[in-house]
Amino acid sequence: MTVTERTAAPTGPAAPPPPPRRRRDERRPVWEEEPGRVGQGLKGATLAGVCLAILGPLWVVIVTSLSDQRTITDAGGLVIVPKTITFRAYTELLSGGTVTRATLVSLGLTAVGTVISTVVSVLCAYGLSRPGSFLHRPILMVLLVTMFFNAGLIPTYLLVTGVGLEGSYWSMILPGAVSVFNVLVLRAFFQNIAPELIDSARIDGAGDWRILFRIVLPLSKAVIAVVSLFYAVGYWSQWFNAMLYLNDQDKWPLQMILRQLVIKQQAPQGMSQMISTQQIPGLAVQMAVMVLALIPVAVLYPFVQKHFTKGMLTGAVKG
Amino acid sequence: MAKRARGAPAARGALAARGAPADRSAPPGPGTPPSRGTPTARTGWWHRLRRDRTLLLMVAPAVGLLLLFTYVPLLWTTVAFKDYDPFTQGLWTSPWVGLDNFGLLFEDSRFWDAFANTLSITFIQLVLFFPVPIALALLLNSVLSDKVRGLVQSILYLPHFFSWVLVITIFQQMLGGAGLLAQQLRAHGHEGFDLMTDPGVFKFLITAQLVWKDAGWGVIVFLAALSAVNQDLYEAAAVDGANRRRRMWHVTLPALRPVVALLLVLRVGDSLTVGFEQILLQRDAVGPGASEVFDTYVWWVGIANTDYGIAAAGGLIKGAFSLVLVLIANKVAHMLGEQGVYRK
């Protein structure tokens, strides 16, 4: 609209051009119409609404976990506006006992699992990324087929219990240790590294191990960061394998405790006493466990977030 | 999967030369020893095995894990045709019973309920979830400021990394009986409510959860497709007098079509998979009537009731059904002129 008005304006030598109603955004291409105010407003409101729908609940959860009993009673439950800040729920939860143990279990599983998965995937991806290497096509097929079928819950369960992993933390790591998708993402990235670099190293006498560690890995830090984040989040989020294979509540990871405490509304072993006798509001405890489940993701996320698109798309397009 | 001959022949040869005695049979001519890029009949497999043993060693752990945990379990799918009881007999010694397990499965009305629930949830999600990432991507793509777009993107992607347990607890605290919404309603003199235990709205509730968690993540693919559109097309269309709406219709949407078709085919092929973890977590709260889906039924029969044979039969049916669905969906995509998952 503005464009047509401006060109239609009188162009007499004396008359200064009428000022445009609104300053035109310089980033907007010249041929594009200026959107109407209503449209702009709606767009902004939608985006703000979407962000609020995601961040709002997180805000309420965090604020409630930091509130004391009086604030919670005054608010009638969940707290939107913080009045007092107390870390009581956290200090109690993390000073030993069920939640402390579960948090450590989850952290340990995530650390060990992520290292194993990332190392195995990087090695596999490099091993399959050299053109024309022996057997790489059949092996690639073996990998690809697993993306389209899997044996299903029952056969996998029978195998894992059959090989005696039930009750062991390995049952939470090994069955899902290799994600073929991640291997393909890494492989696509490795194949894109300039072949001259690798060839010149080979001429200088470097073997595949040295090429991998000295040339390929330093060039692939971003994609490896993304892949390890995917793995880490996967291990951190696991609860189903724990439910299947870990009958002993003492071995449960944090997600299982969270499920028990909030979804099932039962205090896990060793927590009921704390909640009833120590005057910590049950609601704050629930929220604090939720925040504990959230923290590692929130901490890792900003570091890796900018690489997502690159990591996701190299794998998807080049697959 | 480029087949470019990338290895420098001389270097390859040098590396190969320190390897096997079989080398002598290998070099086809002076100065051109075999490289990985040009496997010829004369480079014997033994030679290539020796040459690439490091690479094979690197691949071995991953392949071993996949074989053990994805291929070996296939042996246990035979349980579907057996009267299998791990406490009395092993896998090999338990007696074959033909299709009895399938018969028992089909007689179970809960199986058919689960089947119906699964398909209706898939349908609801195709209508209410599938378009959301596309709409969000179009919206984001029209934001001019890189800063605003980047900020919104990082907020949108975040919930994808939350566990289902966390997402469901968050929903419970917002929409549950003691949740924020009910609490605010009661504070202002209205009736409270509990969406989390209401079987009537369950299918929409889980769709809302899915939108909250993954719609933002779904945006990535569409944004990439949008950014690949040649911007000159827009300019040319605008110069030719196409307004905003017509540019959207004639330039943007055609650019998204192949991606949309691919994702639709995949989703339809996966019709029988609807958020297993998500639904299992809420199965107790709403009861199996509204929430039992294919996967949770298999879990219930197999793990909770240890009827492994029937559950494995259910799993097999799911696999077969999904395969047929992918083939059909792909066929339809081809008929509409799209590429689908695989080429014609």
Side-chain angles (χ1 to χ4, degrees):
Chain A
M1 248 168 68
T2 342
V3 177
T4 46
E5 273 168 32
R6 232 184 283 162
T7 44
T11 48
R21 277 191 306 172
R22 247 192 305 164
R23 202 157 49 82
R24 191 176 161 81
D25 196 319
E26 284 155 18
R27 289 162 301 198
R28 189 178 297 285
V30 280
W31 45 264
E32 191 172 306
E33 317 84 323
E34 194 82 7
R37 270 165 206 256
V38 178
Q40 287 282 65
L42 273 179
K43 193 161 94 180
T46 316
L47 286 178
V50 168
C51 292
L52 188 71
I54 291 170
L55 295 181
L58 301 183
W59 167 260
V60 173
V61 167
I62 293 171
V63 166
T64 309
S65 79
L66 295 172
S67 296
D68 59 11
Q69 183 65 64
R70 242 191 60 202
T71 321
I72 290 179
T73 320
D74 288 349
L78 291 143
V79 185
I80 300 174
V81 187
K83 295 221 173 65
T84 49
I85 298 245
T86 164
F87 289 92
R88 185 86 193 281
Y90 292 93
T91 49
E92 284 299 332
L93 285 175
L94 293 179
S95 61
T98 312
V99 173
T100 315
R101 191 175 50 223
T103 309
L104 292 176
V105 164
S106 281
L107 286 175
L109 272 177
T110 306
V112 174
T114 306
V115 169
I116 291 179
S117 290
T118 310
V119 169
V120 167
S121 304
V122 165
L123 287 180
C124 180
Y126 178 78
L128 292 175
S129 70
R130 299 299 95 213
S133 72
F134 186 51
L135 283 183
H136 82 285
R137 267 168 205 289
I139 294 174
L140 206 55
M141 279 314 291
V142 167
L143 262 64
L144 284 174
V145 165
T146 63
M147 290 184 84
F148 292 97
F149 93 104
N150 63 68
L153 172 65
I154 302 297
T156 310
Y157 171 78
L158 292 175
L159 173 87
V160 172
T161 50
V163 295
L165 287 182
E166 193 172 19
S168 149
Y169 283 130
W170 292 114
S171 66
M172 307 216 13
I173 295 180
L174 294 181
V178 183
S179 148
V180 173
F181 178 80
N182 286 345
V183 172
L184 294 181
V185 169
L186 289 166
R187 175 173 177 267
F189 196 90
F190 293 166
Q191 285 179 324
N192 270 355
I193 292 175
E196 295 80 13
L197 283 174
I198 293 171
D199 290 342
S200 59
R202 211 179 286 287
I203 291 170
D204 291 344
D208 281 314
W209 289 108
R210 189 181 286 256
I211 290 174
L212 174 61
F213 283 108
R214 290 292 167 81
I215 296 173
V216 173
L217 289 189
L219 290 173
S220 315
K221 281 182 195 146
V223 71
I224 290 176
V226 173
V227 164
S228 9
L229 177 81
F230 285 157
Y231 277 130
V233 166
Y235 283 113
W236 181 258
S237 307
Q238 266 200 59
W239 63 275
F240 182 64
N241 279 351
M243 191 181 87
L244 274 187
Y245 304 121
L246 302 180
N247 296 321
D248 184 358
Q249 285 206 15
D250 288 345
K251 288 190 170 177
W252 276 0
L254 189 63
Q255 306 286 342
M256 279 297 276
I257 301 293
L258 181 58
R259 166 176 175 265
Q260 187 87 353
L261 189 67
V262 183
I263 298 182
K264 295 203 169 256
Q265 293 285 335
Q266 302 160 352
Q269 276 174 25
M271 273 184 78
S272 49
Q273 210 188 357
M274 180 186 93
I275 293 173
S276 57
T277 57
Q278 303 204 1
Q279 305 291 312
I280 318 172
L283 202 56
V285 169
Q286 289 185 15
M287 299 294 164
V289 179
M290 287 170 72
V291 175
L292 286 179
L294 176 78
I295 286 176
V297 177
V299 169
L300 285 181
Y301 180 76
F303 294 104
V304 194
Q305 187 253 332
K306 58 176 184 278
H307 304 303
F308 282 158
T309 321
K310 208 158 118 203
M312 283 287 296
L313 292 173
T314 46
V317 177
K318 297 274 298 174
Chain B
M1 290 208 213
K3 272 191 243 173
R4 278 168 293 164
R6 197 178 270 172
R12 260 290 146 225
L15 198 75
R18 67 154 204 241
D23 271 355
R24 293 211 179 93
S25 64
T32 53
S35 78
R36 273 177 192 157
T38 53
T40 61
R42 271 177 285 180
T43 33
W45 67 268
W46 174 245
H47 167 73
R48 296 172 66 206
L49 177 66
R50 290 291 298 252
R51 185 195 61 195
D52 292 337
R53 57 183 188 274
T54 321
L55 295 180
L56 291 171
L57 194 69
M58 289 174 173
V59 173
V63 172
L65 281 170
L66 279 176
L67 286 179
L68 179 59
F69 289 104
T70 316
Y71 284 87
V72 176
L74 287 178
L75 286 176
W76 270 267
T77 52
T78 54
V79 164
F81 306 97
K82 287 185 165 210
D83 182 13
Y84 174 69
D85 182 355
F87 302 109
T88 55
Q89 287 153 317
L91 174 67
W92 306 110
T93 50
S94 51
W96 294 91
V97 292
L99 296 177
D100 285 4
N101 286 323
F102 291 87
L104 289 170
L105 186 70
F106 293 147
E107 280 167 21
D108 189 353
S109 66
R110 288 174 310 162
F111 169 74
W112 295 109
D113 292 345
F115 199 74
N117 274 339
T118 309
L119 291 185
S120 67
I121 290 173
T122 295
F123 179 74
I124 291 174
Q125 293 187 347
L126 271 180
V127 176
L128 295 181
F129 173 79
F130 196 83
V132 179
I134 305 178
L136 281 175
L138 290 175
L139 191 61
L140 269 179
N141 198 44
S142 73
V143 173
L144 285 177
S145 155
D146 286 336
K147 255 190 189 158
V148 172
R149 197 172 49 223
L151 181 71
V152 176
Q153 267 173 292
S154 38
I155 294 174
L156 276 178
Y157 300 161
L158 181 63
H160 173 74
F161 296 93
F162 295 167
S163 66
W164 271 117
V165 180
L166 184 60
V167 171
I168 288 163
T169 52
I170 288 174
F171 264 75
Q172 192 180 334
Q173 305 292 5
M174 296 302 122
L175 306 177
L180 187 67
L181 201 57
Q183 172 191 319
Q184 294 298 328
L185 281 178
R186 272 195 294 266
H188 294 93
H190 301 278
E191 285 263 308
F193 63 88
D194 186 356
L195 286 181
M196 300 296 286
T197 56
D198 184 348
V201 297
F202 179 72
K203 295 186 174 78
F204 297 96
L205 175 75
I206 58 173
T207 307
Q209 290 165 350
L210 190 68
V211 169
W212 193 81
K213 186 176 192 283
D214 279 338
W217 186 246
V219 165
I220 289 189
V221 183
F222 295 111
L223 271 185
L226 286 175
S227 69
V229 179
N230 184 352
Q231 295 299 308
D232 295 346
L233 290 178
Y234 287 110
E235 183 167 1
V239 170
D240 285 349
N243 61 19
R244 207 170 267 283
R245 196 166 304 151
R246 292 186 66 86
R247 289 202 301 270
M248 165 86 82
W249 183 255
H250 290 291
V251 181
T252 311
L253 291 184
L256 287 182
R257 226 173 57 177
V259 185
V260 172
L262 175 68
L263 292 179
L264 265 181
V265 169
L266 287 174
R267 184 66 195 94
V268 170
D270 233 8
S271 289
L272 293 188
T273 307
V274 278
F276 170 62
E277 287 196 4
Q278 179 194 8
I279 293 171
L280 187 60
L281 282 168
Q282 303 176 81
R283 192 177 176 276
D284 293 342
V286 286
S291 71
E292 194 85 294
V293 292
F294 215 107
D295 287 333
T296 58
Y297 175 81
V298 167
W299 170 83
W300 173 252
V301 172
I303 308 291
N305 289 346
T306 65
D307 279 331
Y308 298 113
I310 302 176
L316 265 185
I317 289 196
K318 182 185 166 189
F321 197 84
S322 301
L323 189 65
V324 173
L325 280 177
V326 174
L327 295 180
I328 293 175
N330 217 40
K331 192 95 190 162
V332 173
H334 285 163
M335 281 180 346
L336 297 176
E338 298 297 339
Q339 195 179 320
V341 182
Y342 55 84
R343 271 161 243 238
K344 255 187 268 196

